[in-house]
Amino acid sequence: MTAIDPTTGASKPVTLRVIFILNALKILLAFGFFTAFKFYGLQVGELVGPQAANLMLYTMLGYLVTFACIVASILKRSIVGIRAAIAVDFLVSIPATAIIGFIIAIISMVLTFTASARAYFAYRG
């Protein structure tokens, strides 16, 4: 019979660190697109000019809010909170049709279902 380690879930697993890093990079990416649309005249399909820059700015602000909720949920060990924040994060990507935002949200959601993430959120120490 194997012994169960009572500290399983005490420290943050790699999966939560990956969620944190991916969502932080998504904010930087949105800021990069905002800068490119605003100052360098980037055109992506029909997105061009000040309207595209404003869309990226609002998308970035949405990502910032959901990122803060993700961090708060990790600190409070709320699996429902992090999953809700990631779901809202997915919805924030819809107006901009941010494919990378969709992919990162899906990856983040899947990572919350890993055994190490569930153990972290279940731990009450």
Side-chain angles (χ1 to χ4, degrees), residues 61-116:
L61 293 174
Y63 288 158
L64 280 169
V65 170
T66 58
F67 182 72
C69 293
I70 288 170
V71 171
S73 298
I74 290 171
L75 294 175
K76 292 181 179 181
R77 292 181 184 259
S78 172
I79 197 160
V80 173
I82 193 169
R83 288 180 180 162
I86 292 170
V88 170
D89 186 72
F90 184 88
L91 296 175
V92 167
S93 299
I94 292 174
T97 317
I99 302 300
I100 295 171
F102 295 141
I103 293 169
I104 290 175
I106 291 168
I107 291 170
S108 297
M109 186 64 81
V110 168
L111 289 176
T112 66
F113 287 95
T114 62
S116 61

Side-chain angles (χ1 to χ4, degrees), residues 18-39:
V18 170
I19 291 170
F20 180 89
I21 291 168
L22 285 175
N23 284 282
L25 289 174
K26 185 166 50 174
I27 293 167
L28 292 175
L29 184 63
F31 179 72
F33 274 112
F34 165 74
T35 304
F37 282 122
K38 182 78 173 175
F39 301 109

